[in-house]
Amino acid sequence: MNTVTTLPVTAGRPGRRRMLAVLAATAATLVVWAVAVPVAGVDLVARTGGTDQPVTPVVVGVATLLAGLAGWALLALLERFTVRARAVWLGVAVVVLLVSLLGPLGGGVGTAATVTLVAMHLVAAAVLVPLLPRTAGR
């Protein structure tokens, strides 16, 4: 008697799982934006290049998407060229997170904007760091 085991759609496809992780991080940062800006009334503005720029949902979504795709690309390269890809990637991810926090800490216009921007960075990392390195069956 043969037994057929069904796996989730993403189980055998790390690429699909990783894309879902990137999309989940993007959605999570957009939720932070939605709670902070329209609901809590935060004036989300960042100072870049000497000018104040509003942080729109498009900016949040594109920035998170690009960061997630860059993390995925780095992980894929490391997996091709080193046996310690996950450990190296985790170290790089932590350093990138810490450096990325300099942006909102130095560029957030006002306390509420700074806290919101930091929260977005932390939320994106909280989704991407544990989920991107996962592969099928883990």
Side-chain angles (χ1 to χ4, degrees), residues 36-54:
V37 178
V39 174
V42 172
D43 187 19
L44 196 54
V45 177
R47 186 165 291 125
T48 58
T51 62
D52 291 353
Q53 300 290 325

Side-chain angles (χ1 to χ4, degrees), residues 43-120:
D43 187 19
L44 196 54
V45 177
R47 186 165 291 125
T48 58
T51 62
D52 291 353
Q53 300 290 325
V55 180
T56 66
V58 172
V59 170
V60 171
V62 169
T64 308
L65 187 64
L66 291 176
L69 292 173
W72 179 3
L74 176 61
L75 179 58
L77 282 171
L78 289 169
E79 287 172 338
R80 284 186 72 106
F81 297 109
T82 182
V83 295
R84 301 198 54 211
R86 289 181 188 188
V88 171
W89 185 85
L90 179 60
V92 171
V94 169
V95 169
V96 168
L97 170 62
L98 294 174
V99 170
S100 81
L101 290 174
L102 296 175
L105 291 173
V109 178
T111 302
T114 300
V115 168
T116 302
L117 292 167
V118 167
M120 284 186 213

